[in-house]
Amino acid sequence: MHIIESGNVAAALGVKLAEASVIAAYPITPQTPLTEKLSELVDAGEMNAQYIPVESEHSALAVCIAASSAGSRAFTATSANGLLYMNEQLHWAAGARLPIVMCVVNRGIGAPWTVWNDHQDSISQRDTGWIQLYACDHQQILDTVLKAFRLAETVSVPVMVCYDGYILSHTYMPFELPDAEMVRRFLPPFAPEYFLDPKCPKNLNTVTLPDIRPDVRGNTAPGYMEIRHNLHMDMRKSMDVISDIEIEFKEIFGRGGYPFIEPYRVNDADYVAVCMGSLSYHLRDVIDMLRKEGIAVGAAGLRVYRPFPDKAVADAFSHKKGLIVFEKALSYGNQGALFADIKAALYAKTDRPFVRNYILGLGGREIKTTELADALRNSCKPSSATTDRPEWIGLKM
Amino acid sequence: MEKDKTFANRKSHSEPGPGDGGRTGSWRVLRPVIDPEKCIPAKTNKKACFSCWIFCPDGVITKTKLPVIDYEYCKGCGICAEECPTGAITMVEETLVIMEEEK
């Protein structure tokens, strides 16, 4: 069934279809109407879930951690400073290997206060041990929520579903609402191996000594370093799972098929504009315009930021002449975080493209098609070289 | 080669039981030593008192007529000595005990 709704409602309907059983959320700014919609669905009896309103984002995720530890499918959502307030619990959820799914409606972070879109909130949380997926439109938001639960529960790593604040969250677009039976086929009920059970008491995530130790049964229990190494290796291995899930999703629903990089006119392109989120669709208009001018440029949207799909990036782009990375976030005092990661992924290749970096759209600064076109016209030249510092688009100084 | 499809096989999950936090006896600086001449259950041969057993936060003291302390796990916190109504438990420097054993 096709419906026309906001990106937030697309996300909420995804959570409903995923049959999440515990939702905890803090309702005030920078929260979005996503959780309000979920509270309505629970109140109307359309969702069989516990909706737990809390006094802060830190508590929202703490409730999800408890619920997930007890074997429930847990969901929360936040944005911007709310996500930052969760920071300690983000690390905890990942270290505890809990398959929580959270929507991050991307907004800029204060100071100074802003509620508009950029990616600094989720990018600044890249090393929390969460998988980060980025959606480009309303359909992808809904679909990615479903894939995120499946992925999280397969690899026991929490997943953020990130989508652009306002540009996607508050705008209305048509999208396909999947059939509930088909979703159940794709996403079986949550059946964790370990969960809190009064019949079988266990300590979860107590103080772990620097070295390994014998447990009460005389088996070797891992130390902190083994547990963290396991998280890292599982994040790397999860890329295979992301690919498999994408294939299965396409078989069932007939959509998707691009687990890591969604290309647009990339095959015959010499240069590729790379970015995350809705901007990659915005760029398609620019690509069409520049193609008419004879510039062989394509666009690529990165769907996964952590684990970083370095092999997919190297395979897709190492034979190109140039990459132009557009970012709505910045590693202050250095360069765009995605830019640095892409350069690192290409470093081992002997014949690698130049890579340039543009920072744009911070705090909701309007991104004009003409500005994107100018940036690409300036960059898509054989004489271009890799830069170590970003250039800025739309800066009025 | 078949790909490894197991995930999260190293987690910090543990069951309640002695020694799950490691051999915590090595943390001890002061060792509680029970004097059977002053200890109520030992002296009266009755199941009585057991304040040390009740208050020990690590559960390393037995509820026997002469309570026995498991030095493998006793951290030497001294709560038993503080709580003993007859002052039967004294905290002895662990180094002195070790030096005595090495003689």
Side-chain angles (χ1 to χ4, degrees), chain A residues 97 154-156 194 201-205 208-209 213 216-217 230 234 237 240-241, chain B residues 3-4 6-23:
Chain A
R97 305 301 302 269
T154 306
V155 303
S156 293
Y194 282 101
K202 278 194 174 74
N203 300 315
L204 306 183
N205 306 297
T208 305
L209 300 177
R213 63 181 169 82
V216 291
R217 293 171 187 271
N230 189 235
D234 284 358
K237 268 161 53 185
D240 288 336
V241 180
Chain B
K3 273 181 183 158
D4 177 10
T6 60
F7 288 91
N9 53 16
R10 286 188 176 72
K11 287 198 269 196
S12 178
H13 289 181
S14 59
E15 294 163 84
D20 201 66
R23 308 254 154 157

